[in-house]
Amino acid sequence: MTEAETAEGHDEAHRSGLGTRLNWLRAAVLGANDGIVSTAGLVVGVAGATDDRSALLTAGLAGLLAGSMSMAAGEYVSVSTQRDSEKAALAMERRELREEPEAELDELTGLLEDRGLNAELAREAAEQLTERDALRAHARVELGIDPDELANPWHAAGASFLAFTAGALLPLLAIVLPPSPVRLYVTVVSVLAALTLTGWWSARLGAAPVGAAVLRNVGGGAVAMGVTYAAGVLLGAVGV
C-alpha cells in the first residue's frame, strides 16, 4: 500500500477514535442534563406541597437513585444488544471469508472503488488488506466495526449512572442546603444556570447553533419545574 494510503488510513482511524470520544462526551452531557431536569422537577414539585427538609431530601434521593439506575439499566440493555449485533455480523463475515474468499475479495475491491480508488489500485489495496487481516479489513470497510473496540455495555452503564448522578446532585443540594425562605429560588436559578451550560456544551459538541440549543434546554427545564411546582401546590392545597 502506498504511503498516501497509509496516511489516509491513519487519519481515518484518528477521526474514528475522535468521533467515538465525542459521542461518549455528548452522551455524558445529555445524561447529566436528564439528571438535572428530572430531579429538579421532582424536588420543586415536592417543594410546592411542603417545605419539610426531610421530605425534600427523601424525594430527591429517591429520584436520583431511581433515575441513575434506570439510565444505567437502559444503557446496558441497549449497548448489549448493539454488541450482540456486532458479534453476529463479525461471525457471519468470518464464515463468508472462509467459504467464499474470492467473492469477499471482489466485494472489498468494490467497496474501495466506491470510496474513490480506481479499479487497479482498489484491487491492490484489497489484496494487501486481505493478506494482512481479512476480517479486520471487511469489518472496518464493509461493516463500519472495529473488532478491537466493540461496544462495552458495562462502560456505557457506568458512564450513564455517573452522568445522571452528577446532574441530579445539583438540584438535590440546592433544595436541601439553603434556608427555607430562599431554597426554591436558589434551586430554580441554579438549575437554569446549569441547563444553560449543558445546552451550550451539547451544541458545541454537535456543531449546532448555540442560542437555539440553550433556549430549548432552559425552556424545557423551566416548563418542567413550573408544571411540577403547580401540581405540588395544588396537591398541598387539597391536603393530599
Side-chain angles (χ1 to χ4, degrees), residues 8-100:
E8 182 180 353
H10 175 76
D11 290 342
E12 182 177 346
H14 178 74
R15 288 193 297 271
S16 176
L18 179 60
T20 300
R21 290 193 294 272
L22 287 176
N23 285 337
W24 276 101
L25 186 55
R26 188 178 296 111
V29 172
L30 295 177
N33 196 78
D34 287 344
I36 294 169
V37 174
S38 61
T39 307
L42 177 61
V43 297
V44 166
V46 175
T50 178
D51 62 354
D52 182 71
R53 191 185 303 269
S54 296
L56 293 170
L57 179 60
T58 300
L61 279 175
L64 184 155
L65 292 173
S68 59
M69 293 301 295
S70 175
M71 288 283 290
E75 197 69 15
Y76 179 84
V77 171
S78 174
V79 176
S80 292
T81 301
Q82 177 186 339
R83 185 182 180 90
D84 290 343
S85 298
E86 292 174 342
K87 286 184 173 180
L90 289 173
M92 179 180 294
E93 197 63 43
R94 189 179 291 109
R95 183 173 64 253
E96 291 174 348
L97 285 168
R98 183 175 62 252
E99 297 175 353
E100 301 176 324

Side-chain angles (χ1 to χ4, degrees), residues 111-179:
L111 290 170
L112 292 173
E113 286 187 62
D114 292 341
R115 293 193 171 194
L117 297 181
N118 62 51
E120 182 180 353
L121 187 56
R123 188 68 177 187
E124 179 184 352
E127 289 174 350
Q128 291 190 28
L129 288 171
T130 298
E131 183 179 350
R132 179 178 301 173
D133 193 326
L135 178 62
R136 179 171 281 101
H138 280 267
R140 290 178 173 174
V141 177
E142 180 181 349
L143 305 175
I145 297 174
D146 187 340
D148 297 325
E149 294 185 9
L150 296 183
N152 188 313
W154 288 108
H155 289 171
S160 294
F161 181 91
L162 292 175
F164 188 96
T165 300
L169 281 173
L170 173 69
L172 175 60
L173 295 177
I175 201 72
V176 299
L177 293 182

